[in-house]
Amino acid sequence: MIFKEELIESQRIYEGKILNLRRDKVTALSGTAYREIVEHNGAVAVVAITDDNKIVMVRQYRYACGRAVLEIPAGKIDKGETDPLAAAARELKEETGYTADEVTLLGYCNPSCAYSEEVIHLYLMRGLKKGEQNLDDDEALELLEMPFDEVYEMGVRGDIVDSKTLAALLMAKGRL
């Protein structure tokens, strides 16, 4: 039997622009325990495949990792945005300039389920049409188009460290 923890009380510790942090007191097998939880509005990520079967990737410096990271186009669901698909289409257009005619929901992932409520909605998009990027003021990224199998193998070798990209590649592999 799995023991389900129940909330006893909750305290907000931090409120930020993209996330909040709270400390929850919960029931536990030993009596009570504390859980620090990151509240996040959610995100979207896109496996975008060109007509010549290349995957659209972005490389950008990720301060928290201390290095440039290769990943699929992605971004947060903005406050007030209720449709993850619309957010995914927006992020694809902003980061890559592409729009898509065909969209398939691949699924969802929880990138850090031990301490975060974040859910990332993963999509496969095809029938791409190139347009102009519209990056956020603080975004600087390199746009790449690479053969899907090459990117997948990079994930298998451990050359890709971004969890949403790894999850999406795994889900997309079965659909391609």
Side-chain angles (χ1 to χ4, degrees):
M1 178 173 105
I2 302 290
F3 180 80
K4 181 180 176 191
E5 298 176 347
E6 299 289 340
L7 178 67
I8 297 169
E9 63 184 36
S10 186
Q11 175 190 14
R12 176 68 53 83
I13 296 171
Y14 172 79
E15 286 193 27
K17 181 179 175 184
I18 63 169
L19 59 86
N20 300 323
L21 178 63
R22 72 173 193 266
R23 184 171 188 245
D24 289 353
K25 183 177 181 180
V26 299
T27 59
L29 283 174
S30 61
T32 61
Y34 290 92
R35 305 288 182 241
E36 293 172 344
I37 305 296
V38 173
E39 300 171 348
H40 189 281
N41 202 43
V44 293
V46 178
V47 176
I49 305 292
T50 65
D51 288 343
D52 57 350
N53 289 316
K54 292 188 177 176
I55 183 171
V56 179
M57 301 291 291
V58 296
R59 184 185 327 269
Q60 59 186 320
Y61 184 83
R62 293 298 196 178
Y63 179 80
C65 295
R67 67 185 185 122
V69 176
L70 184 65
E71 56 194 276
I72 57 177
K76 67 183 182 341
I77 297 172
D78 291 334
K79 289 196 189 300
E81 249 180 335
T82 58
D83 181 7
L85 175 55
R90 175 183 52 75
E91 284 292 339
L92 181 66
K93 173 72 174 144
E94 287 176 5
E95 290 192 357
T96 71
Y98 279 110
T99 57
D101 287 335
E102 301 171 36
V103 178
T104 304
L105 174 65
L106 293 172
Y108 314 90
C109 69
N110 298 93
S112 301
C113 60
Y115 61 85
S116 177
E117 296 177 335
E118 181 181 13
V119 173
I120 302 177
H121 305 261
L122 306 171
Y123 294 91
L124 174 65
M125 295 191 183
R126 294 175 157 174
L128 302 181
K129 292 182 179 54
K130 187 70 175 154
E132 294 296 318
Q133 285 178 301
N134 185 22
L135 298 174
D136 292 338
D137 292 338
D138 62 349
E139 274 184 315
L141 54 85
E142 176 186 8
L143 186 61
L144 302 130
E145 294 180 10
M146 305 168 68
F148 181 88
D149 289 339
E150 179 183 331
V151 175
Y152 187 84
E153 286 304 315
M154 291 174 72
V156 169
R157 283 194 312 266
D159 296 335
I160 295 175
V161 298
D162 178 62
S163 64
K164 69 183 173 303
T165 298
L166 292 170
L169 288 173
L170 180 65
M171 291 177 186
K173 178 78 170 167
R175 308 264 180 125
L176 298 174

